[in-house]
Each structure stands twice: as C-alpha cells, then as structure tokens.
Amino acid sequence: MAAGDIKFRNLDMVRFLMKESTGLDVAYAYDDLVFSEHGLYIIRYDSSDDNKLYVYFNKEMLASKQKLMLGQLLDITKLNKVKLFFKGKFEMEQKEGADEIDIKFYSNEPASVEA
C-alpha cells in the first residue's frame, strides 16, 4: 500500500463481535484500533488479514473479569471464523492540558492465546 492510501476496515464486524460477546459497543475507532466502551479493551486489526484481530485489556481490569471477557470474545470470534489473539494489556493517560491521550501497550508475547 502506497503512502497516503486509505485502508478500509470492517468496523461493523468488530462492533458485532464486541456487542455479541461482551455487551459493549464501540466507543471510538482510530486507524487500526477499536476501543470498547469504558476503555475496558482495545481490538487491533491485523495489517494484512481482515479475519485476524488482536485484543489488549486495560491493565486496571481485574484478572477474573479479563478472563471472562476474553472467553466471551474467543467464543464469538470462533463462531464467526475470525482469529483472535490475546496480546497483552494497555494503559491510557490523558496528556496534561490537551485533548489527547497516550496509550502504552504491554505485550504478552510469546504466550498469546488464539481462538
């Protein structure tokens, strides 16, 4: 893909997967990231495979809630022939005096979970 080309992503599919599995809707989508309501998790699109997604959970989420949501996401993605990989955790921080946020991703490599 050349510089400046726009990559269209299937946001409706991700919205469906999120809503059906966890009951949460899309709060925000930007480039290859889709944020769930309440910032509980982020879905990231694979750069080359439209049926491959990655999930990161908010580092402040309780492990039991994360495990439950991951199981729900894995179940619905598997039913819809989408591959989902647990990639780790993230944290968001509001930039002081700005309407911007910083996102830090903490990778779970190599122990990713695949559906």
Side-chain angles (χ1 to χ4, degrees):
M1 198 160 68
D5 286 351
I6 296 173
K7 170 90 172 156
F8 290 97
R9 311 220 188 249
N10 192 344
L11 183 57
D12 286 336
M13 175 192 66
V14 172
R15 177 177 282 123
F16 169 80
L17 296 172
M18 291 171 76
K19 193 75 167 169
E20 286 296 308
S21 60
T22 64
L24 298 172
D25 205 349
V26 171
Y28 185 73
Y30 178 77
D31 194 27
D32 65 342
L33 301 176
V34 181
F35 297 77
S36 76
E37 289 179 304
H38 313 296
L40 297 179
Y41 60 90
I42 297 173
I43 300 285
R44 184 172 58 89
Y45 295 95
D46 184 80
S47 60
S48 60
D49 185 347
D50 291 338
N51 288 311
K52 189 175 182 182
L53 303 170
Y54 306 98
V55 63
Y56 296 84
F57 286 95
N58 192 308
K59 79 172 201 159
E60 296 178 7
M61 183 182 285
L62 294 173
S64 59
K65 189 168 185 175
Q66 176 185 309
K67 184 177 179 180
L68 175 66
M69 284 191 160
L70 179 59
Q72 292 168 325
L73 284 162
L74 288 169
D75 288 346
I76 200 71
T77 53
K78 190 180 293 185
L79 286 172
N80 287 277
K81 297 178 176 52
V82 175
K83 293 179 182 176
L84 179 74
F85 297 86
F86 171 62
K87 294 298 280 187
K89 297 188 179 242
F90 73 94
E91 67 178 324
M92 291 189 286
E93 186 176 295
Q94 179 97 25
K95 287 186 178 181
E96 197 169 315
D99 290 333
E100 299 174 6
I101 59 170
D102 281 328
I103 303 172
K104 294 179 184 170
F105 291 96
Y106 303 97
S107 182
N108 191 47
E109 299 294 336
S112 295
V113 176
E114 176 187 352

